[in-house]
Amino acid sequence: MEFKVPTMAELMAAGEEPEILFWVGCAGSYDERAQKITRDICKILHHVGIKYAVLGTEESCTGDPAKRAGNEFLFQMQAMTNIEVLNAYNIKKIVTGCPHCFNTIKNEYPGLGGTYEVIHHTQLIQDLINEGKLKAEGGESFKGRKITYHDPCYLGRANGIYEAPRKALEVLDAQLVEMKRCKSNGLCCGAGGAQMFKEPEKGNKDINVERIDEALQTNPQVIAAGCPFCMTMLSDGIKLKDKEQEVKVLDIAEITARANGL
């Protein structure tokens, strides 16, 4: 499927406004694995005919890692820069591919002068399923496959979003199995709070290995994720366990795109 992803600057020059701004995020822009998720979110938006745009080179980090690592000054500088850009474009609604971007723009930008309706891509997918625009047919069948979903901390515990990702999986006619620790009792993949960018501290076991052990106890064929950081940690765990052939780690957007033949 070939199509062009417009930038806000291009739409603005043409005198147009998008329904939705897709906030790509650092991982979705630079991480090779997360870029695939970005492409699939764009495919979904394109497929259902939602008019959207990205900021392109005008987008910079939301400041989440800086804030979590304790550099409030840097966070505020990054946030202010982004808010100025968003407000200049009169942005109302934002969809993100990353729970960290989602949480920061939704909950921390209003205090700095940036108030928007922010949704995570799993919520967008749930809405589109409810509206009958995404049907999970015409593509890869997940019927009867065992799927377990890992709740990202910043989506689940921080923002109470548990239903949307599961709704996207329920429509597949797959066999959904929950890990022992799930939903509000979910276990972190180990990359939140800026931990993604530092080495683990001394302990008996890496937290992502602990999480993968839990996931593998459900004997899944697919581990579903909703966050690029979780994707990295879970994929690393699967590699370490040498299970790459048997178990696939896929984002909800990738599963949705495959099921709809996009």
Side-chain angles (χ1 to χ4, degrees):
M1 191 198 294
E2 286 288 313
F3 58 89
K4 190 177 180 310
V5 177
T7 64
M8 273 308 301
E10 287 166 354
L11 281 193
M12 197 79 164
E16 296 175 38
E17 270 196 5
E19 283 174 64
I20 216 164
L21 173 81
F22 173 29
W23 185 277
V24 181
C26 303
S29 302
Y30 298 114
D31 180 86
E32 209 175 313
R33 180 66 188 85
Q35 285 171 355
K36 293 179 182 170
I37 304 167
T38 302
R39 281 196 282 272
D40 281 346
I41 293 173
C42 289
K43 281 181 194 171
I44 291 166
L45 288 164
H46 182 77
H47 172 68
V48 298
I50 291 176
K51 194 171 180 189
Y52 71 100
V54 297
L55 284 174
T57 52
E58 290 186 279
E59 181 186 300
S60 73
C61 180
T62 58
D64 166 78
K67 187 178 180 78
R68 305 294 160 229
N71 194 338
E72 181 66 24
F73 177 66
L74 176 58
F75 162 71
Q76 294 212 5
M77 276 175 33
Q78 288 178 304
M80 299 291 210
T81 309
N82 285 325
I83 290 167
E84 272 178 30
V85 172
L86 291 168
N87 289 350
Y89 281 127
N90 197 23
I91 298 296
K92 302 277 191 291
K93 188 171 182 177
I94 299 172
V95 63
T96 73
C98 170
H100 295 259
C101 300
F102 167 77
N103 179 66
T104 306
I105 301 172
K106 179 177 182 279
N107 299 322
E108 282 156 3
Y109 277 22
L112 298 167
T115 307
Y116 321 98
E117 182 192 344
V118 191
I119 61 167
H120 184 254
H121 70 281
T122 57
Q123 292 176 297
L124 175 77
I125 289 167
Q126 180 188 26
D127 290 344
L128 293 170
I129 288 169
N130 290 345
E131 289 164 20
K133 290 178 181 169
L134 286 174
K135 291 200 165 60
E137 56 193 41
E140 189 179 323
S141 170
F142 287 86
K143 192 177 171 69
R145 280 209 235 169
K146 250 190 178 187
I147 301 180
T148 190
Y149 170 67
H150 163 79
D151 285 286
C153 300
Y154 280 72
L155 194 62
R157 291 200 307 253
N159 286 287
I161 296 164
Y162 302 111
E163 282 315 304
R166 286 174 173 81
K167 181 86 177 170
L169 295 172
E170 279 161 16
V171 80
L172 299 172
D173 205 12
Q175 191 186 344
L176 277 190
V177 279
E178 294 285 5
M179 287 182 248
K180 273 204 176 76
R181 284 183 275 194
C182 63
K183 299 187 177 172
S184 57
N185 193 31
L187 179 71
C188 179
C189 72
Q195 296 289 327
M196 183 75 169
F197 308 104
K198 59 186 271 296
E199 291 305 311
E201 284 141 44
K202 284 226 181 319
N204 301 327
K205 190 180 188 182
D206 281 355
I207 188 163
N208 65 319
V209 177
E210 170 78 8
R211 190 54 168 162
I212 277 297
D213 282 341
E214 279 191 1
L216 292 176
Q217 278 168 14
T218 67
N219 286 323
Q221 285 152 303
V222 178
I223 299 174
C227 167
F229 286 8
C230 297
M231 173 59 73
T232 298
M233 301 304 271
L234 296 169
S235 301
D236 283 357
I238 286 292
K239 276 184 196 137
L240 189 80
K241 295 283 175 188
D242 216 9
K243 293 275 189 202
E244 287 173 282
Q245 297 310 310
E246 303 101 281
V247 185
K248 297 280 172 259
V249 185
L250 295 171
D251 188 90
I252 297 281
E254 295 179 300
I255 293 171
T256 304
R258 285 185 185 193
N260 285 272
L262 306 183

